[in-house]
Each structure stands twice: as C-alpha cells, then as structure tokens.
Amino acid sequence: MAPNKLNSSSGNSSVHGSQSDNGFISSFSLFPEKAVQELLQSPVQGSDDHLIEFSEALRTVAKALRRVAEGKASAQAEAAEWKRKFELERARNLQFDSTEKSSLENQADLGDVRTNNPANHPPLSKKANERFERCCSSNGICSHEVLRDGKSDSDSKMVRKASFKLSWYCKGEQSDQHKHDVVSFEKGNITTAERSSKQISLKWESSPQTVLILTKPNSASVQILCVEMVRWLRQQKKLNIYVEPRVRVDLLTESSYFNFVETWNDDKEVLALHTKVDLVITLGGDGTVLWAASMFKGPVPPIVPFSLGSLGFMTPFYSEHYKECLDSILKGPISIALRHRLQCHVIRDAAKNEYEAEEPILVLNEVTIDRGISSFLTNLECYCDNSFVTCVQGDGLILSTTSGSTAYSLAAGGSMVHPQVPGILFTPICPHSLSFRPLILPEHVTLRVQVPFNSRSPAWASFDGKDRKQLEPGDALVCSMAPWPVPTACLVDSTNDFLRSIHEGLHWNLRKTQSFDGPRES
C-alpha cells in the first residue's frame, strides 16, 4: 500500500496548502490529486479484491477533486468579472448623477439671469422638475435607476428605467384588514423584507411598574404559587399587581396583607387594562394563555407563561425557577414570539352588507365550523378574497393560526407550523373526499365560509373551543388576520421553544435507534 508515500504526501499538502478566501484551508487541498496518483501507481500485491476496490475508489476521488478544483477556479473568475462590471456600472451612474446635477444648477443660474418671462425657461428644466416631484412624492415608494451602455460619452445613449411606486391597498374604506410592509425598494429592485427571518427581542425603555397575574382555577398548587409570587413581586420588586376578582377574594381570605392587590369591577375596566398593565403573568397551561389573550380585544401586553398544566406548547417557563425567570424578564432584554390572532365576524343573512356584522371575536388558536348535533354532513362554501376555493362536505372545517397548528388542526391532519410563520391554516375535518388536503394560506387574505341555502342543516362555529354560535343557511363567517398579535416571552427563543414543545409534548418522531449490529450489505 506504500503508507510512507501517503504520509509524506499528506504532510506536504498540509504545509503548502493554500488558504481559501474566507481564511480556511480548502478541504481538497489536504489530500491533493498528486498524492492520489502516487498511491495508485504503487504496486498492488496479489489479487486481493479489497485492494482493487480501494484503488478504484481512489481514482473516483481523484476525478471528483479535479472537478471541484476546476469548478472553484471558474466560479472565482466569474465572480471577479461580475465585480468588475458592478464597479464600472456604479462609476457610470455616479458620473451621470453628477452631470445631471450640474446641468440643473446651470439651468437655474440661467433662469436667475434671464427675465421673468416663462417662455425664456428651457423645457429641460421643466421636465426635470416634474420628474423630481413625481419621484419624491410621499404617497408611495418610488425610485429609478440610470443605465448607460459601454460607448464613448459622445455617442452614448442614456436609458432610464421606468419609475414606479408600491403601495398597499385595502378593499373598501371600512375594511378591517391592516397591511404591513413586506418589501423593500431601492433603485428599481424589489426585495422581500427580513421581517420573519430574525428572532424578536424586547428591551424595556423604562422599568415595568404594573403586573397582571392570571391563574388556572380550581388548582391548589397554582393558588399556593400565586400567593408566593404576589408577595415576592410586592416586597422585592415594588410592583403594582392586578388579579382577577375571584383571585383577590382568595388572597384576602389568606391574609389581610394583600389589600394592595387591585382588580376590576366591570367589562369596561377590562377593556382598559392594556393601558395600565406592563406585563402579564399566567400560571397554568395553554388554556390560561388563551384566556389571557381573550381578555384583550386590542393591543396585548407581553405575556410570561408559566407551565402548570398538562401540555405546554405556549408555556416554556418552569414555576420552580420563577424568581430567576421574572428577575431576568423585568431587567430585559427578552426574546419574544409574536403569535398572530384571527379576527372573526359572523354575518347573518338578514344583514344588508358585510359591515353589518356581529361583534368581532379574536382567536389565538382556531375557529371551527362543524355540524354540531346534526347527523348530516356539513355543506360549506369557502371563498378566499372573493375567489371560490372549494365546497367542504364532511364533519367541518378548521381555520387555524400557526400557534394553533399543534391543537385541533394537528388532530385533523394539519401540519405543525412554526408560530412565527404568518399564515392561516385551512384544515378540513373528516372530509368525504380522498383528495381534500389541508392548505396554508398567506396572512393577508380574507376567508369567507358560508352556509348555502340548500344545506340540509345549520352549522356551528366555536372560537378557541368556546362561544359557540349557530350558522343558519345564508349566514357567513368572515376571518382575517388581526392587527394585534399576542407577544409571549421565550425561554431561549421562538425556534428553540417550539422544537422543545413538540419533542416534550408530543414526543415527535420518538423511536428506538436502529441497532448497528444487524445485517450488513454485501
């Protein structure tokens, strides 16, 4: 096998190997083609099949290394050529901008010297001003880019890209859809904004002063932890504390010391909670987080969810370490996940238009339209932005957020989706069709589910598992993404917490590792 030659060749390559552009030694320079050829030229003793196979494998490796080297050289040459063209184009653009600016200044100077007669002004200045006013309008996003060919200045022809503006639109002035920027625009090129590709961090500009604590009812362990946490937050952190009315009664039954704890008396005060509360702490499971989100019909303060329930897809914090967790959160910065909510309207058949709808309902997990107690299949006509999608015939339909993708939608065959992905899950419940597969639709669409007049029975809609409403033939349910997400604090970050929750909560892809001592291929 000539091991001495192999060792010497490897040693030389490690000493003389050239480094790549990023400072690391190329992987193929550690075992160059020359060393492979020397190894192949060494005499093979006997006719051992393994040695023959090994020599063939080395020849294949040598060919692959040669192709990699050729490809790298070609890529470097192409990159250098593109860089040269870019620098040349940028220099030409800068030169043109400077020439145009000086031309405009000269025209302005001539206008000052000449009389006030508008006929004396050259048409070039008027066109330039119109173009300037058109491009600098603040109603949208606009820009342009100047391109020139490679001819001399005397023969060159300037080619200007058409200017355009980008702006969002809503269907109807009373539409409740809120559009957000998803693109950036520069020199005529459109690129997607990096809104969903980065983790979100929250940094306090001033220290939190008021905390709302929401607890899971009928739990002795939760009640004990709530008493300890309220006392610690008041004594150590000097915070104002709000609790639910029933919790305040329990605290005062425990001790008159808790007279400082505040609560609310009616629904009007609940609607104003977001103006008073800086932070929300939930003690329970995912259901407690859903209850906390349902209390806020508009903006939602950051929520710190502690796990004291059966499942914890949205509760990453452990109650045993609540002091360390809250101390870190109150100091900041903290990583948060913005969990999108759906805004749902029930529109009755008697309504004159779509804006005569019932009170909007916000859901964090999903809205479900099912057949209820009826023995007939549901018959639902579905539209997406006024475009017909399909007719659902089965047990029902689930319109879910990505946070709710691990809830009812998952049980009905929908995919698990990262909560930071902005989208709406369209999942049928036991459809009477083999080809009816779930969909994931973009966040900006408006979905309309209508019970047709020829339906054999009414349907029922439930919102996060409660507030069931009956939908008679002719009634419709309209859903769109709500403009107010639910910010929940993360233990590490949104991705780490999501993966940990599906591993621990669902035992996702858990199986015994395949044994290594089984049968082998010949």
Side-chain angles (χ1 to χ4, degrees):
M1 292 291 296
N4 294 333
K5 290 186 178 182
L6 178 61
N7 293 335
S8 62
S9 301
S10 300
N12 295 335
S13 63
S14 62
V15 173
H16 301 289
S18 59
Q19 291 186 344
S20 60
D21 295 339
N22 56 9
F24 293 95
I25 300 176
S26 302
S27 58
F28 57 83
S29 64
L30 295 175
F31 196 62
E33 184 181 356
K34 182 179 179 182
V36 176
Q37 294 295 339
E38 291 179 358
L39 185 61
L40 293 176
Q41 292 174 1
S42 59
V44 179
Q45 302 296 332
S47 60
D48 196 322
D49 293 339
H50 294 289
L51 293 179
I52 295 175
E53 291 179 1
F54 181 66
S55 63
E56 292 295 333
L58 287 180
R59 289 191 180 93
T60 304
V61 170
K63 294 179 181 178
L65 292 176
R66 183 168 61 251
R67 294 193 191 98
V68 169
E70 293 174 353
K72 180 182 178 181
S74 176
Q76 288 177 342
E78 186 176 0
E81 179 63 20
W82 278 108
K83 183 177 180 181
R84 185 188 66 81
K85 291 182 178 180
F86 172 77
E87 295 293 341
L88 180 61
E89 190 65 36
R90 185 172 63 174
R92 287 174 175 172
N93 289 338
L94 292 175
Q95 182 181 1
F96 176 79
D97 291 341
S98 176
T99 304
E100 186 178 23
K101 183 178 179 181
S102 61
S103 175
L104 291 175
E105 291 176 353
N106 293 335
Q107 295 293 342
D109 293 340
L110 280 174
D112 293 338
V113 174
R114 292 180 180 180
T115 61
N116 293 329
N117 186 2
N120 294 331
H121 292 274
L124 177 61
S125 177
K126 182 178 179 180
K127 291 182 179 180
N129 290 333
E130 290 178 355
R131 183 171 60 252
F132 178 79
E133 292 173 358
R134 184 171 63 254
C135 294
C136 296
S137 175
S138 60
N139 295 328
I141 310 171
C142 64
S143 182
H144 63 273
E145 183 179 9
V146 177
L147 302 177
R148 301 182 66 180
D149 54 20
K151 299 179 181 180
S152 61
D153 292 340
S154 59
D155 298 332
S156 62
K157 295 182 180 179
M158 290 176 288
V159 180
R160 184 179 298 276
K161 291 181 66 174
S163 300
F164 60 88
K165 293 189 291 186
L166 300 179
S167 60
W168 296 119
Y169 74 97
C170 296
K171 294 183 178 179
E173 296 180 356
Q174 303 181 41
S175 175
D176 52 18
Q177 279 190 288
H178 291 250
K179 310 295 184 180
H180 303 280
D181 291 343
V182 294
V183 297
S184 61
F185 183 82
E186 184 179 0
K187 286 192 174 181
N189 301 317
I190 302 175
T191 59
T192 56
E194 299 179 1
R195 142 182 96 156
S196 303
S197 62
K198 296 181 180 179
Q199 301 292 344
I200 304 173
S201 178
L202 185 148
K203 184 177 181 181
W204 300 107
E205 295 183 353
S206 59
S207 300
Q209 300 296 323
T210 306
V211 174
L212 169 63
I213 299 179
L214 300 175
T215 63
K216 176 184 177 181
N218 305 321
S219 175
S221 59
V222 170
Q223 187 175 1
I224 294 173
L225 177 62
C226 180
V227 172
E228 295 179 2
M229 185 177 292
V230 169
R231 182 180 286 110
W232 181 78
L233 288 173
R234 183 66 174 184
Q235 294 178 353
Q236 302 297 326
K237 300 301 179 181
K238 311 299 180 184
L239 295 176
N240 303 318
I241 299 175
Y242 275 81
V243 295
E244 296 172 89
R246 63 172 179 82
V247 177
R248 189 175 189 275
V249 173
D250 294 339
L251 291 175
L252 292 177
T253 304
E254 180 78 18
S255 172
S256 60
Y257 166 77
F258 297 104
N259 276 326
F260 62 86
V261 176
E262 301 180 63
T263 187
W264 53 87
N265 298 318
D266 51 32
D267 293 339
K268 291 183 178 179
E269 296 185 15
V270 174
L271 294 176
L273 272 179
H274 71 277
T275 63
K276 305 174 183 179
V277 174
D278 300 317
L279 196 68
V280 179
I281 299 174
T282 63
L283 305 179
D286 289 349
T288 311
V289 179
L290 294 176
W291 166 245
S294 66
M295 291 180 59
F296 297 92
K297 307 304 180 183
V300 185
I303 297 178
V304 183
F306 284 91
S307 177
L308 288 107
S310 54
L311 282 179
F313 294 105
M314 293 187 287
T315 54
F317 294 95
Y318 300 105
S319 58
E320 297 83 2
H321 311 289
Y322 76 89
K323 295 181 180 179
E324 294 83 355
C325 293
L326 291 178
D327 187 64
S328 174
I329 288 170
L330 292 173
K331 290 179 181 178
I334 59 176
S335 178
I336 64 171
L338 293 180
R339 300 182 179 273
H340 302 277
R341 292 191 290 179
L342 290 178
Q343 185 168 259
C344 307
H345 298 269
V346 175
I347 304 175
R348 300 299 179 181
D349 178 43
K352 296 179 180 179
N353 53 58
E354 293 188 358
Y355 304 109
E356 290 188 7
E358 297 182 4
E359 188 72 16
I361 303 174
L362 297 175
V363 297
L364 180 57
N365 265 358
E366 76 279 310
V367 53
T368 304
I369 306 100
D370 56 62
R371 61 178 180 168
I373 61 174
S374 173
S375 60
F376 296 107
L377 296 177
T378 57
N379 188 9
L380 305 173
E381 294 178 351
C382 303
Y383 299 87
C384 178
D385 285 342
N386 296 324
S387 298
F388 179 72
V389 178
T390 189
C391 183
V392 177
Q393 298 182 84
D395 282 354
L397 176 68
I398 302 171
L399 302 179
S400 170
T401 65
T402 50
S403 293
S405 66
T406 51
Y408 196 0
S409 175
L410 176 65
S415 176
M416 292 186 293
V417 187
H418 191 290
Q420 288 295 109
V421 177
I424 303 175
L425 279 68
F426 186 93
T427 308
I429 306 173
C430 297
H432 198 247
S433 171
L434 296 177
S435 59
F436 198 164
R437 306 302 301 164
L439 298 177
I440 300 178
L441 300 169
E443 62 167 340
H444 59 79
V445 302
T446 298
L447 295 174
R448 179 187 179 95
V449 181
Q450 185 166 356
V451 181
F453 289 101
N454 61 352
S455 178
R456 293 186 175 184
S457 63
W460 290 84
S462 60
F463 308 88
D464 277 342
K466 57 183 184 297
D467 299 331
R468 285 178 69 83
K469 293 180 179 292
Q470 187 174 3
L471 302 178
E472 297 288 346
D475 295 346
L477 178 71
V478 177
C479 295
S480 60
M481 193 69 74
W484 307 284
V486 177
T488 58
C490 301
L491 183 63
V492 181
D493 56 56
S494 60
T495 301
N496 185 284
D497 289 2
F498 171 69
L499 295 176
R500 183 178 58 82
S501 68
I502 63 175
H503 281 129
E504 295 181 359
L506 296 176
H507 305 293
W508 179 62
N509 196 31
L510 183 64
R511 72 179 295 273
K512 291 182 65 176
T513 305
Q514 189 175 19
S515 175
F516 65 89
D517 57 354
R520 300 171 182 266
E521 293 183 359
S522 58

